[in-house]
Amino acid sequence: MDVTVAAVAGRTPVVVGASDLTTAGAVRRARRAREAGAQAVMVVPVSYWKLSDREVFAHFQAISDSADIPIMAYNNPATSGIDMSPELLVAMAERIENVRMVKESTGDIHRMLRIKELSGGSLPFFNGSNPLVLDALTAGAAGWCTATPCLRPRLCLQIYEAVRAGETERAQTAYRLLKPLLDFVVSQGLPTTIKAGLDLLGQSAGVPRRPLLPLDKERTEVLRGLLETVV
């Protein structure tokens, strides 16, 4: 986190993941992010026990009150086991001072449209589903949170810029070129594929932390082919 904030040097906002199994732990992480110079924190509620809406709300309220930093509420039930509905997300944004934006990663475009409808378009939402990027940006997503630009940033930017400019055909062309790589990254897992891809590009980022394992030889060659195709 400190290295990232220093390297960015104020050129773009830094959003730090500040999730923890406990509210106290998440508060500590969020405070540390603020002290490091981050502009916001991204929080996904995680718990061994399934949390109720009341518990999720109280979790975010405590982080907001204690850390005093803008919060991106991150909905990713596939990895966290907790699904925050559009109604809950909008309610938190309306009633908790520092909840300012949402990252929606279920891959359901209807949820994004529901967030837009319930908030009257006032709550920025970000797409966290790789294959959904074109539909999400077209539906009004404020941005796209993903690791794929680490490997092929140009096409990712093209999609974003083309949608913002209303150039539908250019956006679709860039998306078709990028989609095989997007699908591969999702199917093999972001940490594993991004680290393998960076290594292929001559920017080694080490191996994934156990229990994740490095991409095997066969899939590494598939990734190599995709990177050669998607320039």
Side-chain angles (χ1 to χ4, degrees):
M1 179 174 62
D2 291 331
V3 169
T4 299
V5 171
V8 168
R11 290 173 293 180
T12 192
V14 173
V15 181
V16 170
S19 302
D20 195 278
L21 283 167
T22 67
T23 298
V27 166
R28 285 196 299 271
R29 292 174 184 272
R31 284 176 172 168
R32 178 67 179 81
R34 183 194 63 203
E35 292 166 1
Q39 280 68 49
V41 291
M42 182 172 71
V43 177
V44 57
V46 288
S47 173
Y48 178 82
W49 298 104
K50 183 176 175 61
L51 302 179
S52 67
D53 284 0
R54 183 170 68 95
E55 289 167 328
V56 171
F57 192 100
H59 182 67
F60 278 89
Q61 183 75 68
I63 297 168
S64 174
D65 292 345
S66 302
D68 192 26
I69 187 172
I71 299 168
M72 174 187 285
Y74 180 16
N75 189 45
N76 193 344
T79 55
S80 71
I82 297 167
D83 191 359
M84 296 183 286
S85 68
E87 288 75 13
L88 174 60
L89 290 165
V90 173
M92 290 196 301
E94 290 176 344
R95 295 165 53 193
I96 300 176
E97 181 180 1
N98 286 309
V99 175
R100 309 277 179 84
M101 53 201 136
V102 169
K103 179 180 177 182
E104 172 55 60
S105 294
T106 58
D108 185 350
I109 192 66
H110 299 291
R111 283 175 172 254
M112 296 184 187
L113 293 172
R114 183 65 173 155
I115 291 170
K116 185 177 181 180
E117 175 190 5
L118 289 170
S119 69
S122 64
L123 178 59
F125 61 92
F126 292 77
N127 169 56
S129 172
N130 267 323
L132 197 65
V133 56
L134 182 57
D135 288 341
L137 291 174
T138 302
W144 172 25
C145 299
T146 179
T148 308
C150 294
L151 303 181
R152 284 294 180 254
R154 186 178 63 84
L155 276 175
C156 295
L157 284 170
Q158 274 189 23
I159 295 170
Y160 178 84
E161 292 169 351
V163 171
R164 288 290 177 265
E167 299 173 359
T168 303
E169 187 174 341
R170 186 162 76 97
Q172 291 174 341
T173 299
Y175 176 70
R176 282 194 297 270
L177 289 170
L178 191 63
K179 190 174 186 303
L181 178 60
L182 297 176
D183 290 339
F184 184 84
V185 168
V186 171
S187 68
Q188 303 303 314
L190 270 70
T192 299
T193 52
I194 297 303
K195 284 177 176 288
L198 288 171
D199 192 54
L200 289 170
L201 296 173
Q203 293 182 302
S204 179
V207 296
R209 294 180 185 177
R210 294 287 189 107
L212 296 177
L213 294 174
L215 205 61
D216 62 32
K217 185 176 295 186
E218 180 182 352
R219 289 176 177 81
T220 298
E221 289 308 308
V222 173
L223 180 56
R224 185 193 305 276
L226 288 170
L227 292 174
E228 290 173 352
T229 303
V230 180
V231 179

